[in-house]
């Protein structure tokens, strides 16, 4: 199995997939409204600090496990169990794969929203003068659960096609074209939104830390979102690590992925908030924040339609890319753990069908199920919040404990330390300490604070 395993021909291939899977809707769609929910500057500071001190060590840990075992998370954790005799490790692996599947189901729905706006821009360009209005178009989508589900199906189908084809053929080629274009578009837009009159107010909101705005849940909201956006806790990075080349240095790769992902998140809030502040009627805590602000803004300036088309195409590519990461986790695990080789394509179809069945819940949450609400939150929002703020931290905790106690000292050191790099020698003890105490400690502390917050409300 190991010998047949696909691996990237170039180091660039790894970065494309790892950064591609990290930078997705988590940065552009989720981060802005989570920052809105948690009051701005103090949360942003907490987020960046936690990304570097909790997210990064865990990301390195997952990659190391994959690279050293050359297996996906199910088989890799099975090996940890075999070596250590601790049964719980293999359950940590299973839990994370299951989580990937459920998260993929609602990720597909949001990706469908992106498709909807993309098609709106196309229609508007082809039939100009339509009474199309960005916010009306969002309302239309929210009312129509079947449309949301249909768009999610299109998305899942596309993901299946790409993942079914396998690592090398499927991905490496075309991902590389979109990313630089997307970066350029985002920077251009940032430039425009920064010239809005609300900019000073926004910079104050985002970067002036007012710690009184933090709540009992803010710490775990930051940690949960970091895991989501870095793809930690899903086993995704174990799969990616298993495709790395022998000569690749895990901590360096991990650091670069974290850095790029965090920068993109910061750019995303600087892009979205000036527009949201300008249109004072948009609540900053709304999960549809991105879709309420950007299309409207794009429609306003000359050439905006074309720009919108390009931007939403790229955003869709980013969403597809991240979905490929999620689906790849599920499929590689199904394929690796089957004694009789389960073919990739069939595994992709099975995973896609299950995800689509689950997607009915978020897709119909603002129409058929709109009365199902807890605390003013609809089903989709509840799903997002339960999965990312409660379940994902548990999954990541399970993985970090398994890796820390299951991987031998020698294995860990050989993954972390590169002979020619002094810094990896000096950082090694810190990494080990972070895995053993610091990261699990913060995750548990954050969870406890969140529970406490429930009682003190
Ligand atoms: N990190 C992706 C995002 O921010 C989501 C994702 C999670 C992708 C887990 C792959 C695995 O959009």
């Amino acid at each position: 199995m190991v010998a047949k395993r696909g691996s990237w021909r170039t180091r660039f291939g790894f970065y494309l997939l790892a950064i591609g899977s990290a930078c997705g809707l988590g940065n552009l769609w989720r981060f802005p409204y989570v920052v809105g929910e948690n009051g701005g500057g103090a949360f942003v500071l907490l987020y960046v600090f936690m990304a570097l001190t909790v997210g990064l060590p865990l990301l390195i840990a997952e990659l190391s496990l994959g690279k050293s075992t050359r297996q996906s998370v199910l088989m890799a954790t099975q090996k940890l169990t075999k070596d250590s005799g601790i049964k719980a490790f293999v359950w940590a692996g299973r839990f994370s794969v299951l989580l990937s599947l459920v998260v993929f189901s609602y990720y597909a729905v949001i990706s469908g929203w992106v498709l909807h706006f993309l098609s709106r821009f196309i229609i508007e360009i082809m039939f100009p003068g339509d009474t199309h209005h960005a916010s009306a178009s969002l309302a239309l989508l929210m009312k129509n659960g079947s449309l949301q589900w249909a768009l999610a199906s299109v998305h899942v189908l596309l993901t299946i096609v790409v993942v079914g084809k396998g690592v090398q053929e499927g991905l490496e080629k075309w991902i590389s074209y979109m990313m630089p274009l997307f970066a350029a578009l985002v920077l251009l837009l940032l430039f425009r939104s920064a010239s809005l009159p609300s900019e000073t107010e926004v910079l104050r909101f985002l970067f002036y830390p007012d710690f009184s705005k933090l709540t009992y849940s803010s710490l775990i909201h930051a940690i949960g979102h970091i895991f989501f956006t870095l793809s930690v806790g899903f086993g995704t990075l174990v799969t990616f690590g298993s495709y790395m080349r022998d000569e690749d240095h895990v901590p360096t790769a991990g650091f670069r992925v974290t850095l790029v992902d965090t920068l993109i998140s910061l750019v995303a809030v600087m892009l979205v908030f000036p527009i949201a502040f300008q249109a004072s009627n948009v609540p900053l805590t709304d999960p549809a924040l991105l879709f309420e602000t950007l299309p409207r803004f794009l429609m306003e300036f000359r050439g905006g339609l074309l720009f919108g088309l390009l931007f939403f195409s790229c955003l869709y590519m980013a969403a597809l890319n991240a979905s490929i990461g999620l689906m790849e986790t599920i499929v590689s695990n199904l394929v690796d753990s089957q004694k009789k080789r389960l073919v990739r394509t069939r595994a992709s179809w099975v995973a896609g069908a299950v995800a689509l069945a689950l997607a009915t819940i978020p897709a119909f949450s603002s129409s058929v199920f709109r009365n199902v609400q807890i605390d003013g939150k609809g089903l989709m929002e509840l799903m997002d919040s339960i999965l990312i703020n409660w379940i994902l931290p548990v999954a990541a905790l399970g993985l970090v404990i398994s890796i820390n106690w299951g991987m031998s000292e020698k294995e860990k050191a050989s993954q972390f330390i590169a002979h020619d790099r002094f810094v990896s020698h000096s950082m090694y003890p810190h990494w080990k300490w972070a895995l053993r105490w610091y990261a699990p400690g913060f995750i548990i502390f954050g969870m406890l604070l969140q529970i406490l917050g429930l009682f003190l409300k």
Side-chain angles (χ1 to χ4, degrees):
M1 212 180 304
V2 175
K4 287 202 200 103
R5 193 165 201 84
S7 82
W8 284 287
R9 275 162 306 215
T10 60
R11 187 162 50 165
F12 198 48
F14 165 77
Y15 282 111
L16 281 179
L17 200 60
I19 293 181
S21 133
C23 304
L25 294 173
N27 310 64
L28 279 131
W29 158 70
R30 198 172 187 280
F31 189 58
Y33 93 82
V34 175
V35 169
E37 242 176 20
N38 287 280
F43 183 78
V44 172
L45 203 66
L46 183 67
Y47 172 84
V48 173
F49 181 69
M50 286 289 143
L52 292 173
T53 61
V54 174
L56 175 59
L58 262 63
L59 188 147
I60 295 175
E62 276 193 42
L63 287 177
S64 304
L65 177 65
K67 193 172 166 225
S68 79
T69 57
R70 296 276 167 215
Q71 297 282 3
S72 308
V73 72
L74 282 184
M75 296 302 280
T77 45
Q78 220 164 69
K79 181 171 178 293
L80 295 183
T81 290
K82 214 163 43 227
D83 294 350
S84 65
I86 302 177
K87 259 245 142 68
F89 294 168
V90 65
W91 282 102
R94 288 180 187 153
F95 189 63
S96 65
V97 178
L98 198 66
L99 180 64
S100 307
L101 188 64
V102 184
V103 167
F104 179 49
S105 73
Y106 89 92
Y107 204 85
V109 175
I110 312 285
S111 307
W113 294 8
V114 180
L115 274 180
H116 170 76
F117 281 96
L118 179 57
S119 64
R120 281 272 139 193
F121 279 104
I122 296 177
I123 294 172
E124 182 72 4
I125 286 176
M126 286 172 52
F127 308 102
D130 189 7
T131 47
H132 167 70
H133 197 278
S135 48
S137 150
L138 181 66
L140 174 113
L141 185 67
M142 290 299 127
K143 269 191 282 189
N144 194 340
S146 317
L147 178 62
Q148 290 193 44
W149 193 80
L151 289 168
S153 317
V154 173
H155 177 73
V156 170
L157 224 93
L158 278 172
T159 315
I160 291 176
V161 171
V162 179
V163 173
K165 285 175 81 185
V167 182
Q168 294 194 344
E169 307 136 70
L171 315 172
E172 214 170 304
K173 278 179 286 180
W174 52 275
I175 296 175
S176 52
Y177 300 124
M178 298 302 286
M179 299 221 311
L181 175 64
F182 195 29
L185 289 178
V186 168
L187 286 179
L188 258 172
L189 268 186
L190 183 66
F191 194 65
R192 292 220 53 143
S193 85
S195 58
L196 288 174
S198 52
E199 181 65 7
T200 7
E201 206 188 330
V202 168
L203 289 180
R204 208 184 145 73
F205 175 77
L206 286 177
F207 299 112
Y208 178 78
D210 175 358
F211 289 95
S212 67
K213 295 242 180 78
L214 294 178
T215 66
Y216 284 106
S217 313
S218 293
L219 178 60
I220 203 74
H221 282 190
I223 293 179
H225 183 76
I226 286 160
F227 292 163
F228 178 68
T229 184
L230 292 178
S231 321
V232 164
F234 298 90
T236 305
L237 295 158
V238 181
T239 298
F240 288 178
S242 77
Y243 300 144
M244 278 175 103
R245 299 173 315 160
D246 285 334
E247 60 269 38
D248 293 338
H249 186 224
V250 175
T252 312
F255 180 68
R256 288 185 184 152
V257 173
T258 308
L259 201 67
V260 172
D261 184 77
T262 308
L263 282 177
I264 296 197
S265 288
L266 293 178
V267 168
V269 282
M270 282 160 60
L271 177 68
V272 168
F273 279 101
I275 311 169
F277 272 51
Q278 194 81 353
S280 50
N281 57 343
V282 179
L284 302 181
T285 56
D286 188 345
L289 182 61
L290 174 75
F291 300 96
E292 272 178 81
T293 48
L294 257 192
R296 189 186 306 203
F297 178 63
L298 287 166
M299 293 305 220
E300 269 163 21
F301 57 84
R302 254 192 42 209
L305 279 179
L306 196 64
F307 205 100
L309 176 70
L310 281 178
F311 183 85
F312 274 87
S313 309
C314 289
L315 184 60
Y316 181 70
M317 283 302 182
L320 183 61
N321 222 332
S323 304
I324 290 168
L326 277 168
M327 173 75 108
E328 177 67 34
T329 314
I330 305 161
V331 169
S332 63
N333 274 295
L334 284 176
V335 173
D336 281 359
S337 54
Q338 289 293 314
K339 304 272 176 310
K340 299 190 261 78
R341 268 171 56 83
L342 180 69
V343 226
R344 270 191 91 78
T345 4
R346 192 172 317 150
S348 314
W349 284 102
V350 172
V354 176
L356 264 183
L358 290 172
T360 40
I361 304 171
F364 288 92
S365 90
S366 53
S367 50
V368 179
F369 302 134
R370 69 176 172 281
N371 292 328
V372 188
Q373 288 203 347
I374 301 178
D375 235 5
K377 287 184 173 170
L379 269 184
M380 156 81 103
E381 225 177 314
L382 282 173
M383 197 169 168
D384 177 56
S385 152
I386 293 173
L387 285 171
I388 310 301
N389 300 332
W390 294 88
I391 302 188
L392 179 55
V394 175
L397 185 64
L399 282 184
V400 67
I401 292 177
S402 311
I403 295 172
N404 181 56
W405 302 93
M407 256 173 102
S408 70
E409 180 72 30
K410 198 166 132 244
E411 227 10 278
K412 272 187 256 177
S414 81
Q415 293 302 328
F416 197 94
I417 299 172
H419 298 295
D420 53 342
R421 284 178 215 252
F422 170 70
V423 48
S424 64
H425 279 279
S426 57
M427 289 308 283
Y428 182 58
H430 298 289
W431 179 59
K432 277 201 316 185
W433 185 75
L435 289 194
R436 180 163 299 212
W437 303 112
Y438 182 87
F442 262 110
I443 299 174
I444 294 171
F445 181 55
M447 301 276 290
L448 289 177
L449 275 182
Q450 176 166 246
I451 295 170
L452 187 69
L454 285 183
F455 291 106
L456 294 181
K457 228 188 334 208

